Amino acid sequence: MMNYPYGKPAPYQYQGAMQAQSAAPPLYPASGSVIPGTPTTPAPGSLVPGQLPLEQSYIENILRLNLGKMATLYMTYENNREWNAKIFKGKLEAAGRDHIIISDPQTGMRYLLLMVNLDYITFDEPLNYYYPLHTGQAAAPAQPR
């Protein structure tokens, strides 16, 4: 006999197409529907005036809000005999879901770096930051791209 610390779990019941629907709302609403009382957020990729499009990954959005700033990127490359970790410094040019582009202002050299190798980034100046569920004002909302 099994001991359940919070009582015995309810048995699983299959809710097939032929069964009558219960009065309780479903755990997951149908696509496009809204459960009353829950906050709504725009769909991924949709535009909100004065903001960047919302996406599932937020790192690139934060970087896009800070294009043109000098950044120091700390990267790790596993199984590399010459160098395991490397530091890149440069002006933030672009950011995508899987990459970052920076340029060295002194040499003009541009670097395309993969997010998979990114450990962290530091900036020497304040960041522009906007979190979509934040109720306050954004530090400096960017224009949609």
Side-chain angles (χ1 to χ4, degrees), residues 28-109:
Y28 301 100
S31 179
S33 65
V34 176
I35 297 176
T38 59
T40 58
T41 57
S46 65
L47 292 179
V48 176
Q51 299 171 13
L52 293 171
L54 298 176
E55 297 179 13
Q56 290 181 348
S57 177
Y58 295 104
I59 294 173
E60 69 266 18
N61 288 341
I62 295 168
L63 294 175
R64 287 179 193 153
L65 289 171
N66 292 281
L67 295 179
K69 293 188 178 184
M70 291 299 292
T72 305
L73 292 83
Y74 297 84
M75 313 287 281
T76 302
Y77 299 90
E78 295 182 29
N79 300 322
N80 188 320
R81 294 184 190 272
E82 292 179 35
W83 35 264
N84 182 282
K86 192 160 173 95
I87 299 172
F88 294 89
K89 294 182 181 187
K91 186 170 87 170
L92 194 56
E93 298 283 337
R97 180 163 291 191
D98 65 346
H99 67 278
I100 302 168
I101 299 174
I102 62 170
S103 64
D104 184 338
Q106 295 174 346
T107 65
M109 178 72 79

Side-chain angles (χ1 to χ4, degrees), residues 9-33:
Y12 177 80
Q13 292 181 355
Y14 174 72
Q15 294 186 5
M18 300 304 283
Q19 284 186 332
Q21 294 293 327
S22 66
L27 291 176
Y28 301 100
S31 179
S33 65

